[in-house]
Structure formats: C-alpha cells, structure tokens
Amino acid sequence: MVRDRGMTLADSHRCLRVLETSHPPVFYIPRADVRIELLSDSGRRSVCEWKGLATYWTVRGTAGRPPVPDAAWSYDAPRPGYEALAGHLAFYPDRVEACMVDGERVRAQAGGFYGGWITDEVTGPFKGGPGTWGW
C-alpha cells in the first residue's frame, strides 16, 4: 500500500517485486491498483540501460499542500526482458507519507536516487549511501 496526505494512492496484492544487484526490492504496482487520478505525468524522463525509458509521476497538489514531484515512475514500453513492467508504477518511499508491505512500513533506500523498499527481512549492504556509488 502507498499513502500520501492521508489518501491511499495504491493498494495491491499483485505487485511485481524486482531485485537488482546491490539494491533492496522495488515493488511495481499494476496501474489498475493505483489511483492514477491523484497523479500526473511530471514530464521528466530518464533512461535505464536495462529497462528503457522511464516516465515520472507527480502526486497532485491538494488544498494547502503542494504537489510531490517525481514520487513514482513507470516504464510504459520497457526493453526486451522487462516487458512485465509495462502497465505498472513504482513509488519512492521517501517521497510519500508511507509505503507498506504486509502491514510493515518500509524504509527508503539511502541516496534518494534509488527507489528500493527495505523491510525487516531484507538485509544489505545496499547501494545509495556514502561511498557506495562505485560498486
């Protein structure tokens, strides 16, 4: 589950749990389980050498609260081998109020660049903290 500003942005039991070297898992949530009306395309793009072109999503602002830029990302047309990610969004846990896995609040991967979700049963070390960029 993903929450921000007291609203549930996403809730699913059909996530894709993606593991990458030196990273905690990233959970990609089916778009059908995301309240997409609460998000907007931020216009930002980046390229992952493996997965392809990423689109970033902003949590829309509400009365008295500004938007949360680039709180999530997606691969709408992923490269071969990653086709399963099409139609899914992943959220940065440090940019929203809370991300939960089986009732446990996740901790964000250090560094702000990566979007890994750390739970008590996931151990590192992980990329992202000081001195880890060259791994």
Side-chain angles (χ1 to χ4, degrees):
M1 179 181 61
V2 179
R3 293 179 46 84
D4 192 65
R5 304 162 194 227
M7 297 179 294
T8 298
L9 300 176
D11 194 4
S12 183
H13 295 282
R14 305 180 302 140
C15 300
L16 299 177
R17 184 177 181 259
V18 176
L19 301 174
E20 295 183 36
T21 304
S22 303
H23 298 280
V26 173
F27 288 81
Y28 286 84
I29 304 168
R31 192 176 295 240
D33 297 341
V34 175
R35 293 190 56 203
I36 203 74
E37 73 276 9
L38 300 176
L39 306 174
S40 60
D41 181 335
S42 74
R44 180 175 168 228
R45 303 291 186 269
S46 69
V47 177
C48 170
E49 61 188 296
W50 295 283
K51 295 183 284 293
L53 183 67
T55 297
Y56 291 84
W57 297 87
T58 293
V59 177
R60 294 176 187 257
T62 60
R65 293 206 169 169
V68 180
D70 302 338
W73 73 96
S74 63
Y75 294 97
D76 299 324
R79 290 185 176 157
Y82 296 91
E83 295 91 349
L85 297 180
H88 291 70
L89 277 79
F91 286 82
Y92 288 99
D94 61 346
R95 298 184 188 176
V96 294
E97 181 182 320
C99 294
M100 311 287 286
V101 173
D102 292 332
E104 179 184 348
R105 186 180 187 137
V106 305
R107 297 173 301 284
Q109 182 174 4
F113 175 76
Y114 302 107
W117 291 24
I118 301 171
T119 61
D120 289 342
E121 61 184 43
V122 176
T123 59
F126 304 119
K127 255 186 172 177
T132 64
W133 287 95
W135 291 3

